[in-house]
Amino acid sequence: MSDPHSKPKFRWHIVVFLAPAVLVYTAVMIYPLFNTLRLSLFTEVDQARVYVGLQNFRTLFGDTVWSTQFWNALGNNFWFFVIHMLVQNPIGIALAAILSHPKLRFASFYRSAIFIPTILSFVIVGFAWKLILSPIWGIAPGMLDAVGLKSLYAPWLGKEAYALTTLSLVSVWQFVGIPMMLIYAALLSIPEEILEAAEVEGITGLAAFWKIKLPLILPSIGIISILTFVANFNAFDLIYAAQGALAGPDFSTDILGTFMYRTFFGFQLQLGDPHMGSTIASAMFAIILVGVCLYLFGIQSRMRRYQF
Amino acid sequence: MNAARKNPFNTYAAHGALILYTLIALFPVFVIVINSFKTRKAIFREPLALPNSDSFSLIGYETVLKQGDFFLYFQNSMIVTVGSLFFILLFGAMAAFALAEYRFKGNLIMGLYLALGIMIPIRIGTVAILEMMVQTGLVNTLWALILVYTAQGLPLAVFILSEFMRQVSDDLKNAGRIDGLSEYRIFFRLVLPLVRPAMATVAVFNMIPIWNDLWFPLILAPAEEVKTLTLGSQVFIGQFVTDWNAVLSALSLAILPVMALYVIFSRQLIRGITSGAVK
């Protein structure tokens, strides 16, 4: 490659290869991220940016108008995450376990069909479910009526007590394909010899799943959990598409993403405030960072990985 | 394992569970699409019936095509998605090659720095991104979206592609060097064609989230002439919320392109996920 007589040259091609990615990534992702954290320390007075230290955070956590909204959004976001962990991931694992049976016919058809909601946009999903659950159209009450359960029907999206859970379940419906696929992949990578050895010992069926496969796919479940966590605490689109920026009824579906959007852009009578928006973004950043660190240092490093 | 083969009851139960879930997954899409072809009366009278000669109507589609500029939205979405994928793949592959191929000071640090973005969502920096786009005059242009999606897609692309590039044989590259190929030619002529399957996987992973994103179009490019299909249908549906024919038709039209992409790329997507590209 290089002339043996000369000294080792500076390898410019490394710089050329790295520069575009590093520049775009730094300029559009990393720099704005830190700039947002920095902006949370400023406020606007007479159209000038003034440094105020941690004042915005004091307002967010201390001023009751702000702190009630913040804790409401955080609590709702947490519930959103809990529903995903309790419903989406177990259903995904169960579907993957069924799909990974050898000799199951039509497996690829089921797999592709169940993945379809995941590829649809939040706008489609939000509106489609809004229409289906709407009391005006009557598909949901009609179907419940057909199985004699009409009394169970309520306009779920319009009731404060149910709206958030309903939307969480819609989101679960949409994204169940992701844990299904990842667990399916993990299950396929378990060597046949292990399962055969278990079979010789008389461990088959459900016992084989609980005692052999589940422990082996735990690392994948860990990854799915952290992906779910990051996605949930950064969610916005579904709530916005189905309930609007006000996350109604009466903020009962407000999560951190919609709260930040409203604060940043303003709504109705409230003016947009980029500095308070940055403050909320910084809080979200801290929450996600804590979650990811807990996972990396608390869970992943302790998990036993098996190499086949 | 074998028990499932021997016991027909287990097989039936497995199929039963899968069919039930498939129905749950497809039912909403089915209801939306069939009702978009019906008259307003039929939509409400028999929402679950297929359209027949009596109830068939294209009135919703007529409204949508007359009122909304869906071809423009579609074109914008195409430009943004294809442009972003092009830059993600080109820049991502170049950086991945540098990290996988050469030993240099700071290689590990650079790899970790680029990997940071896999876990941290770019949305956190939205306030400063908007400010920057306003200052550079890129707000309300498709370039703003392409830049943001490129930055968002690069970390995972570099991570996946560098894993694959480590597997390309050194003998091949060294043979190229002996033949006097420059490092750039080795990359473009020898390595890139070999990692094409991995590039396809990265492209498919990035395509759907970019196409479907609502947040950045809403914030960075809300102007009529640069609306993406996702934002365009959101706004259109918001305006026509009482016109059920139009709403159902708009939803169906928004489903169509993603379904087409999915049908074309689903094998690639599923192979990508199941080959463990995202461990």
Side-chain angles (χ1 to χ4, degrees), chain A residues 47-220:
Chain A
Q47 294 179 342
R49 195 162 266 172
V50 187
Y51 179 78
V52 288
L54 294 173
Q55 187 55 47
N56 290 334
F57 289 94
R58 252 172 253 140
T59 311
L60 184 64
F61 298 113
D63 184 335
T64 42
V65 178
W66 286 95
S67 66
T68 18
Q69 285 198 75
F70 177 77
W71 294 115
N72 173 48
L74 184 63
N76 287 343
N77 220 149
F78 200 72
W79 180 240
F80 195 67
F81 173 61
V82 167
I83 300 243
H84 279 79
M85 288 300 283
L86 291 183
V87 184
Q88 171 188 285
N89 296 345
I91 292 183
I93 294 168
L95 288 170
I98 301 175
L99 278 175
S100 68
H101 267 286
K103 302 260 165 103
L104 181 87
R105 299 218 284 161
F106 313 120
S108 64
F109 164 77
Y110 292 129
R111 216 173 43 192
S112 309
I114 293 173
F115 203 73
I116 283 179
T118 310
I119 62 161
L120 299 177
S121 79
F122 294 94
V123 174
I124 300 171
V125 170
F127 272 102
W129 278 100
K130 207 174 160 182
L131 298 181
I132 288 169
L133 296 175
S134 142
I136 308 172
W137 200 5
I139 286 194
M143 289 181 69
L144 282 175
D145 198 19
V147 287
L149 291 172
K150 194 172 185 191
S151 56
L152 282 182
Y153 177 78
W156 290 296
L157 283 176
K159 293 254 172 136
E160 272 176 57
Y162 306 125
L164 180 64
T165 309
T166 311
L167 281 175
S168 311
L169 291 173
V170 168
S171 172
V172 166
W173 170 82
Q174 183 177 9
F175 285 116
V176 95
I178 291 181
M180 179 187 82
M181 287 291 192
L182 294 176
I183 296 292
Y184 176 71
L187 286 171
L188 287 189
S189 70
I190 298 175
E192 194 66 25
E193 299 91 76
I194 294 185
L195 299 172
E196 275 166 12
E199 215 169 290
V200 172
E201 304 282 323
I203 304 172
T204 55
L206 271 183
F209 177 77
W210 289 109
K211 293 199 177 135
I212 297 169
K213 294 183 195 166
L214 197 63
L216 289 176
I217 58 170
L218 273 183
S220 302

Side-chain angles (χ1 to χ4, degrees), chain B residues 248-275:
Chain B
L248 291 167
S249 308
L251 285 174
S252 305
L253 281 180
I255 293 173
L256 193 70
V258 231
M259 284 297 267
L261 287 177
Y262 182 59
V263 170
I264 299 170
F265 293 112
S266 70
R267 282 185 61 204
Q268 190 66 52
L269 178 74
I270 287 165
R271 207 187 307 144
I273 298 175
T274 50
S275 72

Side-chain angles (χ1 to χ4, degrees), chain B residues 188-199:
Chain B
F188 282 106
R189 289 281 170 78
L190 296 181
V191 177
L192 266 197
L194 286 174
V195 294
R196 227 186 280 150
M199 306 257 286

Side-chain angles (χ1 to χ4, degrees), chain A residues 11 25 49 112 119 199, chain B residues 2 43 103 113 131 212 262:
Chain A
R11 291 176 292 172
Y25 172 71
R49 195 162 266 172
S112 309
I119 62 161
E199 215 169 290
Chain B
N2 278 328
I43 290 174
R103 274 197 226 148
Y113 173 68
E131 201 167 85
N212 283 340
Y262 182 59

